[in-house]
Amino acid sequence: MSSLKKIICLANSYKQNERCIAGIDLDTGKWIRPICDRQFPEDGRVPLRIRLVEHGEPKPLDILEIPLDNKGNDFGFESENFSVLKGKWKCLGKAKVEDIFPYCNNSEYILHNNRKYIYPSYLKRVPWHLRRTIEIVKVKKHNFSFVQDKRGKFRGSIKSNHGYWLLNNAKITDPEFMKNLENGYSPTANNLLVTVSLSLPYAPEDWEGEAPCWKLIANIIEFD
């Protein structure tokens, strides 16, 4: 059974040379991650020909209308996935930054813990209605920092107002923000809305044990 779902776009981030799109369902207030699991059963990435809206990329705060199934491949642990069906994506308008505040995470952790990864086995033990693999947090500019690693990749960190790490050295996958950083830009607004998402399980060469899901900074919105 399919339906046209309306979401506020809060992520259009790099995923295996394509994109991962995600946002808040305006009807339910819950996260939706549209996935092309029929075309890409291994990870559900969304190709350009599918995600184009009025000949351009979906942008943060766009209100998108997307034809989606009422279910999708969860890849074993992702609760927000809905399969993309045939049909044109539409942009119905633009949300305001303040419209996002009710959906911000106010807990002491970003995505379940204070590490930069989560094991899939842990997520599978979390009840479905409490499981989160993507969320958005409101951050003061002075609590956000970034560095460029040896491979030229940008990584971001977030501190709490009390000075402890909420997220440390997470890869930034927001294409527009990355482009700005490459051109020497630094955030100027007093506040940020930061969307953090989980990768599919991946283990570096020297990793021992279960392959973890890494926390990624998928989108950054600046505001005063």
Side-chain angles (χ1 to χ4, degrees):
M1 183 176 180
S2 65
S3 63
L4 290 172
K5 296 189 183 297
K6 299 178 180 66
I7 71 169
I8 302 175
C9 181
L10 293 174
N12 179 352
S13 64
Y14 283 127
K15 185 173 187 176
Q16 299 294 337
N17 297 317
E18 293 290 358
R19 299 293 176 90
C20 175
I21 310 293
I24 298 292
D25 185 334
L26 285 174
D27 291 327
T28 66
K30 296 180 179 180
W31 280 93
I32 281 182
R33 182 188 289 111
I35 59 169
C36 292
D37 48 351
R38 292 175 177 85
Q39 296 93 325
F40 296 101
E42 69 277 17
D43 56 28
R45 74 190 88 158
V46 182
L48 181 64
R49 62 181 175 81
I50 298 292
R51 68 180 187 264
L52 275 182
V53 177
E54 297 174 2
H55 307 293
E57 292 280 357
K59 295 179 174 57
L61 300 179
D62 279 353
I63 299 174
L64 303 176
E65 183 180 75
I66 305 173
L68 297 174
D69 201 339
N70 288 325
K71 59 183 180 179
N73 187 349
D74 67 0
F75 301 108
F77 59 89
E78 292 180 337
S79 60
E80 303 90 353
N81 296 353
F82 290 77
S83 297
V84 173
L85 300 177
K86 290 183 178 179
K88 186 177 180 181
W89 292 28
K90 296 180 181 179
C91 180
L92 305 180
K94 202 84 171 179
K96 298 177 181 178
V97 169
E98 52 266 33
D99 295 335
I100 310 304
F101 295 166
Y103 308 110
C104 290
N105 168 32
N106 296 312
S107 72
E108 59 180 324
Y109 298 125
I110 296 176
L111 293 176
H112 300 288
N113 64 30
N114 61 358
R115 294 180 293 183
K116 59 183 179 181
Y117 60 83
I118 301 175
Y119 290 115
S121 58
Y122 169 82
L123 289 168
K124 291 175 183 179
R125 294 195 299 270
V126 177
W128 187 262
H129 68 286
L130 297 176
R131 191 181 304 176
R132 303 185 308 279
T133 67
I134 185 168
E135 60 188 24
I136 192 164
V137 293
K138 186 161 59 173
V139 182
K140 294 290 185 183
K141 182 181 71 172
H142 62 264
N143 286 331
F144 178 83
S145 59
F146 64 91
V147 296
Q148 192 170 16
D149 64 23
K150 295 179 180 178
R151 297 184 297 172
K153 304 295 184 181
F154 289 97
R155 296 181 174 273
S157 299
I158 298 172
K159 281 187 176 180
S160 73
N161 290 327
H162 301 291
Y164 59 85
W165 292 111
L166 293 172
L167 184 64
N168 192 16
N169 205 35
K171 185 178 178 181
I172 298 174
T173 58
D174 178 338
E176 292 302 315
F177 197 76
M178 288 169 62
K179 185 188 301 181
N180 290 337
L181 294 180
E182 289 167 357
N183 292 327
Y185 176 80
S186 292
T188 57
N190 292 322
N191 301 281
L192 309 170
L193 288 175
V194 182
T195 300
V196 182
S197 182
L198 288 181
S199 73
L200 290 177
Y202 167 75
E205 290 183 4
D206 58 348
W207 193 266
E208 294 183 4
E210 182 182 4
C213 301
W214 300 88
K215 296 178 185 179
L216 307 171
I217 295 178
N219 189 68
I220 298 173
I221 298 171
E222 298 183 59
F223 67 100
D224 286 313

PDB file of all heavy atoms in Angstrom, residues 65-101:
ATOM      1  N   GLU A  65       7.001  16.274  -1.137  1.00  0.00           N
ATOM      2  CA  GLU A  65       5.956  15.270  -1.277  1.00  0.00           C
ATOM      3  C   GLU A  65       6.548  14.108  -2.073  1.00  0.00           C
ATOM      4  O   GLU A  65       6.989  14.292  -3.215  1.00  0.00           O
ATOM      5  CB  GLU A  65       4.747  15.843  -1.994  1.00  0.00           C
ATOM      6  CG  GLU A  65       3.582  14.860  -2.111  1.00  0.00           C
ATOM      7  CD  GLU A  65       2.400  15.472  -2.835  1.00  0.00           C
ATOM      8  OE1 GLU A  65       2.475  15.606  -4.068  1.00  0.00           O
ATOM      9  OE2 GLU A  65       1.412  15.824  -2.163  1.00  0.00           O
ATOM     10  N   ILE A  66       6.591  12.926  -1.458  1.00  0.00           N
ATOM     11  CA  ILE A  66       7.298  11.785  -2.039  1.00  0.00           C
ATOM     12  C   ILE A  66       6.383  10.568  -2.036  1.00  0.00           C
ATOM     13  O   ILE A  66       5.768  10.251  -1.008  1.00  0.00           O
ATOM     14  CB  ILE A  66       8.569  11.465  -1.220  1.00  0.00           C
ATOM     15  CG1 ILE A  66       9.466  12.702  -1.099  1.00  0.00           C
ATOM     16  CG2 ILE A  66       9.348  10.322  -1.853  1.00  0.00           C
ATOM     17  CD1 ILE A  66      10.655  12.506  -0.174  1.00  0.00           C
ATOM     18  N   PRO A  67       6.290   9.860  -3.166  1.00  0.00           N
ATOM     19  CA  PRO A  67       5.511   8.608  -3.178  1.00  0.00           C
ATOM     20  C   PRO A  67       6.291   7.486  -2.490  1.00  0.00           C
ATOM     21  O   PRO A  67       7.361   7.090  -2.944  1.00  0.00           O
ATOM     22  CB  PRO A  67       5.330   8.328  -4.674  1.00  0.00           C
ATOM     23  CG  PRO A  67       6.468   9.030  -5.351  1.00  0.00           C
ATOM     24  CD  PRO A  67       6.818  10.207  -4.499  1.00  0.00           C
ATOM     25  N   LEU A  68       5.753   7.000  -1.392  1.00  0.00           N
ATOM     26  CA  LEU A  68       6.445   6.002  -0.582  1.00  0.00           C
ATOM     27  C   LEU A  68       5.515   4.844  -0.235  1.00  0.00           C
ATOM     28  O   LEU A  68       4.306   5.020  -0.065  1.00  0.00           O
ATOM     29  CB  LEU A  68       6.949   6.622   0.724  1.00  0.00           C
ATOM     30  CG  LEU A  68       7.994   7.731   0.636  1.00  0.00           C
ATOM     31  CD1 LEU A  68       8.260   8.311   2.012  1.00  0.00           C
ATOM     32  CD2 LEU A  68       9.281   7.208   0.021  1.00  0.00           C
ATOM     33  N   ASP A  69       6.119   3.681  -0.114  1.00  0.00           N
ATOM     34  CA  ASP A  69       5.420   2.540   0.446  1.00  0.00           C
ATOM     35  C   ASP A  69       5.263   2.777   1.944  1.00  0.00           C
ATOM     36  O   ASP A  69       5.873   3.697   2.512  1.00  0.00           O
ATOM     37  CB  ASP A  69       6.241   1.273   0.185  1.00  0.00           C
ATOM     38  CG  ASP A  69       5.419   0.002   0.259  1.00  0.00           C
ATOM     39  OD1 ASP A  69       4.341   0.041   0.879  1.00  0.00           O
ATOM     40  OD2 ASP A  69       5.865  -1.018  -0.278  1.00  0.00           O
ATOM     41  N   ASN A  70       4.466   1.958   2.599  1.00  0.00           N
ATOM     42  CA  ASN A  70       4.298   2.089   4.047  1.00  0.00           C
ATOM     43  C   ASN A  70       5.290   1.249   4.822  1.00  0.00           C
ATOM     44  O   ASN A  70       5.153   1.074   6.036  1.00  0.00           O
ATOM     45  CB  ASN A  70       2.864   1.730   4.448  1.00  0.00           C
ATOM     46  CG  ASN A  70       1.875   2.807   4.026  1.00  0.00           C
ATOM     47  OD1 ASN A  70       2.207   3.986   4.053  1.00  0.00           O
ATOM     48  ND2 ASN A  70       0.700   2.399   3.611  1.00  0.00           N
ATOM     49  N   LYS A  71       6.291   0.730   4.138  1.00  0.00           N
ATOM     50  CA  LYS A  71       7.341  -0.037   4.774  1.00  0.00           C
ATOM     51  C   LYS A  71       8.584   0.034   3.894  1.00  0.00           C
ATOM     52  O   LYS A  71       8.539   0.544   2.769  1.00  0.00           O
ATOM     53  CB  LYS A  71       6.922  -1.492   4.976  1.00  0.00           C
ATOM     54  CG  LYS A  71       6.573  -2.199   3.675  1.00  0.00           C
ATOM     55  CD  LYS A  71       6.099  -3.615   3.919  1.00  0.00           C
ATOM     56  CE  LYS A  71       5.744  -4.299   2.585  1.00  0.00           C
ATOM     57  NZ  LYS A  71       5.303  -5.699   2.808  1.00  0.00           N
ATOM     58  N   GLY A  72       9.691  -0.472   4.416  1.00  0.00           N
ATOM     59  CA  GLY A  72      10.935  -0.504   3.659  1.00  0.00           C
ATOM     60  C   GLY A  72      11.932  -1.419   4.349  1.00  0.00           C
ATOM     61  O   GLY A  72      11.749  -1.788   5.518  1.00  0.00           O
ATOM     62  N   ASN A  73      12.981  -1.777   3.647  1.00  0.00           N
ATOM     63  CA  ASN A  73      14.030  -2.616   4.228  1.00  0.00           C
ATOM     64  C   ASN A  73      14.691  -1.865   5.385  1.00  0.00           C
ATOM     65  O   ASN A  73      15.213  -0.766   5.205  1.00  0.00           O
ATOM     66  CB  ASN A  73      15.061  -2.945   3.146  1.00  0.00           C
ATOM     67  CG  ASN A  73      16.091  -3.945   3.614  1.00  0.00           C
ATOM     68  OD1 ASN A  73      16.201  -4.269   4.789  1.00  0.00           O
ATOM     69  ND2 ASN A  73      16.870  -4.445   2.670  1.00  0.00           N
ATOM     70  N   ASP A  74      14.681  -2.455   6.563  1.00  0.00           N
ATOM     71  CA  ASP A  74      15.302  -1.795   7.717  1.00  0.00           C
ATOM     72  C   ASP A  74      16.776  -2.158   7.873  1.00  0.00           C
ATOM     73  O   ASP A  74      17.427  -1.683   8.809  1.00  0.00           O
ATOM     74  CB  ASP A  74      14.542  -2.081   9.006  1.00  0.00           C
ATOM     75  CG  ASP A  74      14.626  -3.547   9.439  1.00  0.00           C
ATOM     76  OD1 ASP A  74      15.279  -4.366   8.735  1.00  0.00           O
ATOM     77  OD2 ASP A  74      14.049  -3.873  10.485  1.00  0.00           O
ATOM     78  N   PHE A  75      17.292  -2.995   6.984  1.00  0.00           N
ATOM     79  CA  PHE A  75      18.681  -3.450   7.020  1.00  0.00           C
ATOM     80  C   PHE A  75      19.063  -4.019   8.389  1.00  0.00           C
ATOM     81  O   PHE A  75      20.215  -3.959   8.802  1.00  0.00           O
ATOM     82  CB  PHE A  75      19.639  -2.320   6.613  1.00  0.00           C
ATOM     83  CG  PHE A  75      19.372  -1.800   5.230  1.00  0.00           C
ATOM     84  CD1 PHE A  75      18.799  -0.555   5.046  1.00  0.00           C
ATOM     85  CD2 PHE A  75      19.653  -2.576   4.123  1.00  0.00           C
ATOM     86  CE1 PHE A  75      18.530  -0.078   3.769  1.00  0.00           C
ATOM     87  CE2 PHE A  75      19.385  -2.112   2.831  1.00  0.00           C
ATOM     88  CZ  PHE A  75      18.826  -0.855   2.659  1.00  0.00           C
ATOM     89  N   GLY A  76      18.054  -4.500   9.089  1.00  0.00           N
ATOM     90  CA  GLY A  76      18.287  -5.166  10.356  1.00  0.00           C
ATOM     91  C   GLY A  76      18.092  -4.309  11.587  1.00  0.00           C
ATOM     92  O   GLY A  76      17.931  -4.833  12.689  1.00  0.00           O
ATOM     93  N   PHE A  77      18.073  -2.974  11.431  1.00  0.00           N
ATOM     94  CA  PHE A  77      18.016  -2.139  12.640  1.00  0.00           C
ATOM     95  C   PHE A  77      17.444  -0.736  12.418  1.00  0.00           C
ATOM     96  O   PHE A  77      17.123  -0.038  13.379  1.00  0.00           O
ATOM     97  CB  PHE A  77      19.419  -1.995  13.235  1.00  0.00           C
ATOM     98  CG  PHE A  77      20.419  -1.377  12.300  1.00  0.00           C
ATOM     99  CD1 PHE A  77      20.603  -0.010  12.254  1.00  0.00           C
ATOM    100  CD2 PHE A  77      21.173  -2.175  11.463  1.00  0.00           C
ATOM    101  CE1 PHE A  77      21.505   0.552  11.380  1.00  0.00           C
ATOM    102  CE2 PHE A  77      22.094  -1.629  10.590  1.00  0.00           C
ATOM    103  CZ  PHE A  77      22.267  -0.250  10.546  1.00  0.00           C
ATOM    104  N   GLU A  78      17.290  -0.253  11.178  1.00  0.00           N
ATOM    105  CA  GLU A  78      16.830   1.119  10.935  1.00  0.00           C
ATOM    106  C   GLU A  78      15.302   1.158  10.924  1.00  0.00           C
ATOM    107  O   GLU A  78      14.659   0.519  10.096  1.00  0.00           O
ATOM    108  CB  GLU A  78      17.387   1.646   9.613  1.00  0.00           C
ATOM    109  CG  GLU A  78      18.890   1.867   9.640  1.00  0.00           C
ATOM    110  CD  GLU A  78      19.433   2.379   8.328  1.00  0.00           C
ATOM    111  OE1 GLU A  78      18.794   2.171   7.272  1.00  0.00           O
ATOM    112  OE2 GLU A  78      20.513   2.985   8.346  1.00  0.00           O
ATOM    113  N   SER A  79      14.740   1.951  11.809  1.00  0.00           N
ATOM    114  CA  SER A  79      13.286   1.984  11.966  1.00  0.00           C
ATOM    115  C   SER A  79      12.606   3.044  11.106  1.00  0.00           C
ATOM    116  O   SER A  79      11.375   3.088  11.047  1.00  0.00           O
ATOM    117  CB  SER A  79      12.944   2.243  13.436  1.00  0.00           C
ATOM    118  OG  SER A  79      13.480   3.490  13.863  1.00  0.00           O
ATOM    119  N   GLU A  80      13.381   3.891  10.438  1.00  0.00           N
ATOM    120  CA  GLU A  80      12.808   5.049   9.746  1.00  0.00           C
ATOM    121  C   GLU A  80      12.662   4.853   8.235  1.00  0.00           C
ATOM    122  O   GLU A  80      12.252   5.778   7.527  1.00  0.00           O
ATOM    123  CB  GLU A  80      13.672   6.289   9.998  1.00  0.00           C
ATOM    124  CG  GLU A  80      13.860   6.651  11.458  1.00  0.00           C
ATOM    125  CD  GLU A  80      15.073   5.985  12.103  1.00  0.00           C
ATOM    126  OE1 GLU A  80      15.698   5.122  11.429  1.00  0.00           O
ATOM    127  OE2 GLU A  80      15.393   6.310  13.249  1.00  0.00           O
ATOM    128  N   ASN A  81      12.973   3.678   7.712  1.00  0.00           N
ATOM    129  CA  ASN A  81      13.066   3.480   6.267  1.00  0.00           C
ATOM    130  C   ASN A  81      11.723   3.183   5.608  1.00  0.00           C
ATOM    131  O   ASN A  81      10.965   2.324   6.072  1.00  0.00           O
ATOM    132  CB  ASN A  81      14.032   2.335   5.948  1.00  0.00           C
ATOM    133  CG  ASN A  81      15.450   2.645   6.376  1.00  0.00           C
ATOM    134  OD1 ASN A  81      15.763   3.758   6.789  1.00  0.00           O
ATOM    135  ND2 ASN A  81      16.329   1.667   6.264  1.00  0.00           N
ATOM    136  N   PHE A  82      11.470   3.878   4.482  1.00  0.00           N
ATOM    137  CA  PHE A  82      10.285   3.655   3.665  1.00  0.00           C
ATOM    138  C   PHE A  82      10.732   3.565   2.204  1.00  0.00           C
ATOM    139  O   PHE A  82      11.477   4.419   1.728  1.00  0.00           O
ATOM    140  CB  PHE A  82       9.282   4.801   3.823  1.00  0.00           C
ATOM    141  CG  PHE A  82       8.606   4.852   5.169  1.00  0.00           C
ATOM    142  CD1 PHE A  82       9.276   5.355   6.278  1.00  0.00           C
ATOM    143  CD2 PHE A  82       7.297   4.413   5.323  1.00  0.00           C
ATOM    144  CE1 PHE A  82       8.661   5.411   7.527  1.00  0.00           C
ATOM    145  CE2 PHE A  82       6.679   4.464   6.563  1.00  0.00           C
ATOM    146  CZ  PHE A  82       7.357   4.959   7.667  1.00  0.00           C
ATOM    147  N   SER A  83      10.245   2.570   1.500  1.00  0.00           N
ATOM    148  CA  SER A  83      10.653   2.351   0.115  1.00  0.00           C
ATOM    149  C   SER A  83      10.059   3.403  -0.816  1.00  0.00           C
ATOM    150  O   SER A  83       8.866   3.724  -0.743  1.00  0.00           O
ATOM    151  CB  SER A  83      10.197   0.970  -0.361  1.00  0.00           C
ATOM    152  OG  SER A  83      10.806  -0.050   0.389  1.00  0.00           O
ATOM    153  N   VAL A  84      10.912   3.931  -1.701  1.00  0.00           N
ATOM    154  CA  VAL A  84      10.478   4.892  -2.703  1.00  0.00           C
ATOM    155  C   VAL A  84       9.746   4.153  -3.820  1.00  0.00           C
ATOM    156  O   VAL A  84      10.201   3.123  -4.321  1.00  0.00           O
ATOM    157  CB  VAL A  84      11.688   5.652  -3.285  1.00  0.00           C
ATOM    158  CG1 VAL A  84      11.263   6.540  -4.451  1.00  0.00           C
ATOM    159  CG2 VAL A  84      12.367   6.481  -2.199  1.00  0.00           C
ATOM    160  N   LEU A  85       8.596   4.688  -4.215  1.00  0.00           N
ATOM    161  CA  LEU A  85       7.818   4.136  -5.317  1.00  0.00           C
ATOM    162  C   LEU A  85       7.899   5.050  -6.534  1.00  0.00           C
ATOM    163  O   LEU A  85       8.412   6.171  -6.447  1.00  0.00           O
ATOM    164  CB  LEU A  85       6.357   3.957  -4.886  1.00  0.00           C
ATOM    165  CG  LEU A  85       6.128   3.016  -3.701  1.00  0.00           C
ATOM    166  CD1 LEU A  85       4.649   2.989  -3.344  1.00  0.00           C
ATOM    167  CD2 LEU A  85       6.637   1.616  -4.008  1.00  0.00           C
ATOM    168  N   LYS A  86       7.398   4.571  -7.667  1.00  0.00           N
ATOM    169  CA  LYS A  86       7.416   5.381  -8.876  1.00  0.00           C
ATOM    170  C   LYS A  86       6.573   6.632  -8.690  1.00  0.00           C
ATOM    171  O   LYS A  86       5.522   6.603  -8.060  1.00  0.00           O
ATOM    172  CB  LYS A  86       6.896   4.564 -10.059  1.00  0.00           C
ATOM    173  CG  LYS A  86       7.828   3.458 -10.516  1.00  0.00           C
ATOM    174  CD  LYS A  86       7.265   2.751 -11.737  1.00  0.00           C
ATOM    175  CE  LYS A  86       8.216   1.667 -12.226  1.00  0.00           C
ATOM    176  NZ  LYS A  86       7.672   0.960 -13.410  1.00  0.00           N
ATOM    177  N   GLY A  87       7.038   7.709  -9.278  1.00  0.00           N
ATOM    178  CA  GLY A  87       6.309   8.964  -9.179  1.00  0.00           C
ATOM    179  C   GLY A  87       7.251  10.129  -8.982  1.00  0.00           C
ATOM    180  O   GLY A  87       8.408   9.957  -8.578  1.00  0.00           O
ATOM    181  N   LYS A  88       6.780  11.306  -9.255  1.00  0.00           N
ATOM    182  CA  LYS A  88       7.596  12.510  -9.193  1.00  0.00           C
ATOM    183  C   LYS A  88       7.651  13.072  -7.774  1.00  0.00           C
ATOM    184  O   LYS A  88       6.640  13.135  -7.080  1.00  0.00           O
ATOM    185  CB  LYS A  88       7.015  13.565 -10.141  1.00  0.00           C
ATOM    186  CG  LYS A  88       7.857  14.821 -10.275  1.00  0.00           C
ATOM    187  CD  LYS A  88       7.230  15.773 -11.286  1.00  0.00           C
ATOM    188  CE  LYS A  88       8.076  17.036 -11.434  1.00  0.00           C
ATOM    189  NZ  LYS A  88       7.466  17.979 -12.408  1.00  0.00           N
ATOM    190  N   TRP A  89       8.859  13.444  -7.349  1.00  0.00           N
ATOM    191  CA  TRP A  89       9.008  14.160  -6.096  1.00  0.00           C
ATOM    192  C   TRP A  89       8.640  15.627  -6.323  1.00  0.00           C
ATOM    193  O   TRP A  89       9.008  16.224  -7.342  1.00  0.00           O
ATOM    194  CB  TRP A  89      10.440  14.068  -5.582  1.00  0.00           C
ATOM    195  CG  TRP A  89      10.872  12.713  -5.130  1.00  0.00           C
ATOM    196  CD1 TRP A  89      10.411  11.509  -5.573  1.00  0.00           C
ATOM    197  CD2 TRP A  89      11.878  12.411  -4.168  1.00  0.00           C
ATOM    198  NE1 TRP A  89      11.053  10.481  -4.938  1.00  0.00           N
ATOM    199  CE2 TRP A  89      11.967  11.001  -4.071  1.00  0.00           C
ATOM    200  CE3 TRP A  89      12.718  13.194  -3.377  1.00  0.00           C
ATOM    201  CZ2 TRP A  89      12.857  10.371  -3.219  1.00  0.00           C
ATOM    202  CZ3 TRP A  89      13.614  12.576  -2.525  1.00  0.00           C
ATOM    203  CH2 TRP A  89      13.673  11.175  -2.438  1.00  0.00           C
ATOM    204  N   LYS A  90       7.943  16.213  -5.363  1.00  0.00           N
ATOM    205  CA  LYS A  90       7.533  17.620  -5.486  1.00  0.00           C
ATOM    206  C   LYS A  90       7.997  18.412  -4.265  1.00  0.00           C
ATOM    207  O   LYS A  90       8.089  17.873  -3.158  1.00  0.00           O
ATOM    208  CB  LYS A  90       6.014  17.724  -5.622  1.00  0.00           C
ATOM    209  CG  LYS A  90       5.446  17.081  -6.871  1.00  0.00           C
ATOM    210  CD  LYS A  90       3.929  17.233  -6.911  1.00  0.00           C
ATOM    211  CE  LYS A  90       3.339  16.561  -8.144  1.00  0.00           C
ATOM    212  NZ  LYS A  90       1.857  16.686  -8.180  1.00  0.00           N
ATOM    213  N   CYS A  91       8.266  19.688  -4.486  1.00  0.00           N
ATOM    214  CA  CYS A  91       8.531  20.613  -3.378  1.00  0.00           C
ATOM    215  C   CYS A  91       7.300  21.483  -3.206  1.00  0.00           C
ATOM    216  O   CYS A  91       6.911  22.224  -4.120  1.00  0.00           O
ATOM    217  CB  CYS A  91       9.760  21.465  -3.670  1.00  0.00           C
ATOM    218  SG  CYS A  91      10.157  22.636  -2.336  1.00  0.00           S
ATOM    219  N   LEU A  92       6.681  21.401  -2.023  1.00  0.00           N
ATOM    220  CA  LEU A  92       5.434  22.118  -1.758  1.00  0.00           C
ATOM    221  C   LEU A  92       5.642  23.462  -1.082  1.00  0.00           C
ATOM    222  O   LEU A  92       4.692  24.226  -0.916  1.00  0.00           O
ATOM    223  CB  LEU A  92       4.516  21.253  -0.898  1.00  0.00           C
ATOM    224  CG  LEU A  92       4.190  19.863  -1.432  1.00  0.00           C
ATOM    225  CD1 LEU A  92       3.266  19.146  -0.468  1.00  0.00           C
ATOM    226  CD2 LEU A  92       3.573  19.929  -2.822  1.00  0.00           C
ATOM    227  N   GLY A  93       6.871  23.745  -0.691  1.00  0.00           N
ATOM    228  CA  GLY A  93       7.136  24.996   0.013  1.00  0.00           C
ATOM    229  C   GLY A  93       8.366  24.873   0.885  1.00  0.00           C
ATOM    230  O   GLY A  93       9.184  23.959   0.715  1.00  0.00           O
ATOM    231  N   LYS A  94       8.471  25.761   1.853  1.00  0.00           N
ATOM    232  CA  LYS A  94       9.649  25.815   2.711  1.00  0.00           C
ATOM    233  C   LYS A  94       9.215  25.954   4.163  1.00  0.00           C
ATOM    234  O   LYS A  94       8.343  26.772   4.491  1.00  0.00           O
ATOM    235  CB  LYS A  94      10.511  27.020   2.318  1.00  0.00           C
ATOM    236  CG  LYS A  94      11.964  26.932   2.724  1.00  0.00           C
ATOM    237  CD  LYS A  94      12.765  26.145   1.719  1.00  0.00           C
ATOM    238  CE  LYS A  94      14.252  26.241   2.009  1.00  0.00           C
ATOM    239  NZ  LYS A  94      15.055  25.444   1.047  1.00  0.00           N
ATOM    240  N   ALA A  95       9.809  25.150   5.014  1.00  0.00           N
ATOM    241  CA  ALA A  95       9.554  25.268   6.455  1.00  0.00           C
ATOM    242  C   ALA A  95      10.457  26.341   7.042  1.00  0.00           C
ATOM    243  O   ALA A  95      11.466  26.737   6.443  1.00  0.00           O
ATOM    244  CB  ALA A  95       9.799  23.937   7.146  1.00  0.00           C
ATOM    245  N   LYS A  96      10.113  26.824   8.213  1.00  0.00           N
ATOM    246  CA  LYS A  96      10.941  27.781   8.942  1.00  0.00           C
ATOM    247  C   LYS A  96      11.810  27.033   9.949  1.00  0.00           C
ATOM    248  O   LYS A  96      11.455  25.936  10.397  1.00  0.00           O
ATOM    249  CB  LYS A  96      10.059  28.796   9.667  1.00  0.00           C
ATOM    250  CG  LYS A  96       9.190  29.638   8.745  1.00  0.00           C
ATOM    251  CD  LYS A  96       8.293  30.563   9.552  1.00  0.00           C
ATOM    252  CE  LYS A  96       7.397  31.390   8.643  1.00  0.00           C
ATOM    253  NZ  LYS A  96       6.479  32.265   9.426  1.00  0.00           N
ATOM    254  N   VAL A  97      12.923  27.621  10.298  1.00  0.00           N
ATOM    255  CA  VAL A  97      13.813  26.987  11.259  1.00  0.00           C
ATOM    256  C   VAL A  97      13.079  26.667  12.558  1.00  0.00           C
ATOM    257  O   VAL A  97      13.226  25.569  13.120  1.00  0.00           O
ATOM    258  CB  VAL A  97      15.043  27.888  11.535  1.00  0.00           C
ATOM    259  CG1 VAL A  97      15.830  27.357  12.727  1.00  0.00           C
ATOM    260  CG2 VAL A  97      15.942  27.952  10.306  1.00  0.00           C
ATOM    261  N   GLU A  98      12.254  27.601  13.011  1.00  0.00           N
ATOM    262  CA  GLU A  98      11.560  27.383  14.285  1.00  0.00           C
ATOM    263  C   GLU A  98      10.558  26.237  14.213  1.00  0.00           C
ATOM    264  O   GLU A  98      10.165  25.690  15.255  1.00  0.00           O
ATOM    265  CB  GLU A  98      10.871  28.666  14.760  1.00  0.00           C
ATOM    266  CG  GLU A  98       9.968  29.321  13.743  1.00  0.00           C
ATOM    267  CD  GLU A  98      10.661  30.410  12.938  1.00  0.00           C
ATOM    268  OE1 GLU A  98      11.879  30.292  12.682  1.00  0.00           O
ATOM    269  OE2 GLU A  98       9.961  31.375  12.570  1.00  0.00           O
ATOM    270  N   ASP A  99      10.137  25.863  13.004  1.00  0.00           N
ATOM    271  CA  ASP A  99       9.244  24.714  12.869  1.00  0.00           C
ATOM    272  C   ASP A  99       9.926  23.410  13.292  1.00  0.00           C
ATOM    273  O   ASP A  99       9.242  22.425  13.605  1.00  0.00           O
ATOM    274  CB  ASP A  99       8.787  24.567  11.411  1.00  0.00           C
ATOM    275  CG  ASP A  99       7.927  25.731  10.933  1.00  0.00           C
ATOM    276  OD1 ASP A  99       7.288  26.380  11.782  1.00  0.00           O
ATOM    277  OD2 ASP A  99       7.903  25.984   9.719  1.00  0.00           O
ATOM    278  N   ILE A 100      11.253  23.406  13.289  1.00  0.00           N
ATOM    279  CA  ILE A 100      12.013  22.190  13.590  1.00  0.00           C
ATOM    280  C   ILE A 100      12.247  22.016  15.084  1.00  0.00           C
ATOM    281  O   ILE A 100      12.485  20.896  15.549  1.00  0.00           O
ATOM    282  CB  ILE A 100      13.376  22.221  12.857  1.00  0.00           C
ATOM    283  CG1 ILE A 100      13.172  22.552  11.383  1.00  0.00           C
ATOM    284  CG2 ILE A 100      14.114  20.893  13.002  1.00  0.00           C
ATOM    285  CD1 ILE A 100      12.223  21.632  10.654  1.00  0.00           C
ATOM    286  N   PHE A 101      12.166  23.070  15.852  1.00  0.00           N
ATOM    287  CA  PHE A 101      12.522  22.998  17.273  1.00  0.00           C
ATOM    288  C   PHE A 101      11.784  21.899  18.035  1.00  0.00           C
ATOM    289  O   PHE A 101      12.393  21.211  18.869  1.00  0.00           O
ATOM    290  CB  PHE A 101      12.282  24.352  17.948  1.00  0.00           C
ATOM    291  CG  PHE A 101      13.159  25.465  17.449  1.00  0.00           C
ATOM    292  CD1 PHE A 101      12.860  26.787  17.748  1.00  0.00           C
ATOM    293  CD2 PHE A 101      14.296  25.204  16.696  1.00  0.00           C
ATOM    294  CE1 PHE A 101      13.667  27.820  17.292  1.00  0.00           C
ATOM    295  CE2 PHE A 101      15.113  26.226  16.234  1.00  0.00           C
ATOM    296  CZ  PHE A 101      14.786  27.542  16.535  1.00  0.00           C
TER     297      PHE A 101
END
